[in-house]
């Protein structure tokens, strides 16, 4: 990522909030249950978040016959901590009633380098032998089936230049020449002990997570002019306002017409609009 770790904490929080707002309507989307500070001996101080993802339209057709729509809800718990300027941690755990025996854990380590860390998660030799490494370049133009499933937007960062920071475009070799630069190392562990279905489900979930990682981090840089200069206190206040926005949207009757009429607003504009109606 072409930013510092401190900027990334602000930018990725803003991006997640805006993506949640854009993908939430009266029938499905994100329900924030809890967002509170936490303190841990290993991780340090950070933010704990609990969410429900109502994913009716995102589930492949071959999976929809297993359970009613009410079961197509994924529960997420995450612990995000930035204990110092050298390393950040993010641990996310997912559970779904549809596949109660399955587990998905994403352990993220954030470092101010260009992807050169060989073992950012301090894995054992046995874990390293089982690990498969894939480099996800936000400047790549690759799109696959899962990019369409998650409705990933077409973002060309090879032609994008930030007006506020003068960063970009991200041309070939940008990871070696860009300053500042940082990398998120994500350890994705998927376990689906279901006979006849487990391996296929594991492959689908991991491919979907990869597409989500790519889309989210592309947009984080593409939206840098919207969040650059914000403070962590401002982000926390926006999180509280966004929680209210999402709850209102999920409980609001659907209206006829386009989901996004006219020019797309920034997250700040959406929050102000909702606040003026309360």
């Amino acid at each position: 990522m072409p930013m510092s770790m401190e900027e990334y904490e602000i930018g990725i929080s803003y991006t997640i909030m805006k993506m949640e707002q854009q993908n939430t309507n009266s029938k499905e989307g994100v329900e924030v249950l809890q967002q509170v500070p936490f303190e841990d001996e290993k991780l340090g101080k950070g933010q704990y978040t609990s969410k429900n993802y109502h994913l009716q339209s995102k589930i492949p057709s071959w999976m929809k016959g297993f359970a009613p729509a009410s079961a197509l809800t994924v529960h997420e718990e995450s612990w995000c901590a930035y204990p110092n300027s050298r390393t950040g941690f993010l641990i996310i755990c997912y559970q779904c009633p549809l596949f109660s025996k399955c587990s998905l854990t994403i352990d993220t380590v954030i470092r101010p380098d260009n992807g050169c860390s060989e073992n950012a998660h301090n894995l054992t030799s046995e874990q390293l032998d089982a690990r498969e490494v894939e480099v996800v370049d936000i400047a790549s133009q690759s799109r696959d089936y899962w990019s369409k499933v998650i409705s990933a937007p077409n973002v060309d960062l090879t032609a994008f230049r930030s007006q506020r920071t003068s960063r970009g475009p991200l041309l070939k070799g940008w990871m070696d020449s860009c300053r500042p630069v940082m990398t998120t190392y994500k350890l994705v562990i998927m376990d689906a002990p279901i006979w006849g279905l487990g391996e296929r489900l594991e492959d689908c979930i991991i491919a979907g997570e990869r597409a989500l990682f790519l889309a989210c981090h592309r947009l984080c840089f593409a939206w840098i002019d919207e969040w650059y200069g914000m403070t962590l206190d401002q982000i926390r206040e926006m999180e509280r306002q966004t929680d209210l926005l999402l709850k209102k949207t999920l409980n609001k009757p659907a209206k006829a017409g386009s989901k996004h009429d006219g020019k797309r607003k920034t997250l700040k504009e959406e929050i102000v609009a909702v606040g003026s109606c309360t």
Side-chain angles (χ1 to χ4, degrees):
M1 298 292 288
M3 59 191 68
S4 68
M5 288 181 54
E6 292 76 16
E7 291 170 344
Y8 177 77
E9 182 179 8
I10 300 294
I12 200 67
S13 297
Y14 179 92
T15 302
I16 291 172
M17 283 189 288
K18 185 169 179 177
M19 291 180 69
E20 289 174 346
Q21 181 267 322
Q22 291 180 351
N23 289 280
T24 298
N25 55 46
S26 60
K27 295 182 179 180
E28 65 177 9
V30 184
E31 177 186 8
V32 180
L33 304 177
Q34 190 178 21
Q35 287 195 118
V36 295
F38 81 89
E39 186 170 355
D40 180 83
E41 291 183 1
K42 180 180 178 181
L43 297 179
K45 296 182 179 180
Q47 183 89 344
Y48 167 79
T49 305
S50 176
K51 300 177 182 179
N52 279 337
Y53 292 87
H54 304 281
L55 306 173
Q56 280 73 10
S57 70
K58 307 298 182 184
I59 303 298
S61 58
W62 62 270
M63 292 174 59
K64 291 184 178 180
F66 288 97
S70 59
L72 300 178
T73 297
V74 176
H75 179 64
E76 174 195 279
E77 289 186 288
S78 66
W79 295 261
C80 180
Y82 293 81
N84 55 62
S85 62
R86 299 298 302 172
T87 308
F89 300 95
L90 173 62
I91 300 175
I92 304 178
C93 299
Y94 294 93
Q95 292 179 326
C96 178
L98 183 58
F99 300 107
S100 58
K101 296 181 180 180
C102 302
S103 65
L104 172 64
T105 302
I106 303 172
D107 185 354
T108 302
V109 174
I110 305 163
R111 289 188 175 178
D113 62 32
N114 65 348
C116 60
S117 297
E118 294 292 335
N119 188 12
H121 295 90
N122 296 320
L123 302 180
T124 65
S125 57
E126 183 179 357
Q127 291 172 322
L128 288 173
D129 290 338
R131 182 186 66 171
E132 296 181 9
V133 178
E134 182 175 358
V135 177
V136 180
D137 182 1
I138 63 170
S140 69
Q141 293 300 298
S142 62
R143 287 183 64 85
D144 56 17
Y145 166 78
W146 286 100
S147 297
K148 297 178 181 178
V149 170
I150 67 170
S151 302
N154 286 316
V155 179
D156 184 6
L157 297 182
T158 64
F160 169 77
R161 182 175 178 83
S162 165
Q163 294 182 358
R164 298 186 64 185
T165 67
S166 298
R167 299 175 197 172
L170 302 184
L171 304 177
K172 184 177 181 181
W174 72 267
M175 289 179 280
D176 296 322
S177 60
C178 183
R179 294 294 182 275
V181 66
M182 48 79 59
T183 301
T184 63
Y185 296 89
K186 293 184 176 290
L187 179 65
V188 182
I189 302 175
M190 176 68 192
D191 184 25
I194 304 175
W195 185 85
L197 182 63
E199 185 175 354
R200 183 179 181 182
L201 181 61
E202 289 175 358
D203 291 343
C204 286
I205 296 298
I206 290 177
E209 287 294 334
R210 182 198 181 281
L212 189 59
F213 294 156
L214 182 56
C216 181
H217 286 78
R218 277 176 177 167
L219 291 174
C220 182
F221 182 52
W223 290 338
I224 190 172
D225 288 343
E226 295 182 21
W227 58 259
Y228 183 77
M230 293 183 66
T231 66
L232 190 57
D233 288 339
Q234 290 174 319
I235 285 292
R236 295 293 176 247
E237 177 59 28
M238 288 187 70
E239 286 175 342
R240 288 189 285 270
Q241 296 296 326
T242 301
D243 293 351
L244 296 175
L245 171 62
L246 296 177
K247 289 177 182 177
K248 286 178 177 291
T249 303
L250 277 171
N251 295 325
K252 185 189 300 182
K255 294 183 179 180
S258 173
K259 181 180 177 182
H260 300 293
D261 294 326
K263 182 180 179 181
R264 186 183 293 278
K265 298 179 180 179
T266 67
L267 181 58
K268 298 176 187 177
E269 292 171 335
E270 292 284 0
I271 290 175
V272 170
V274 170
S276 65
C277 296
T278 56

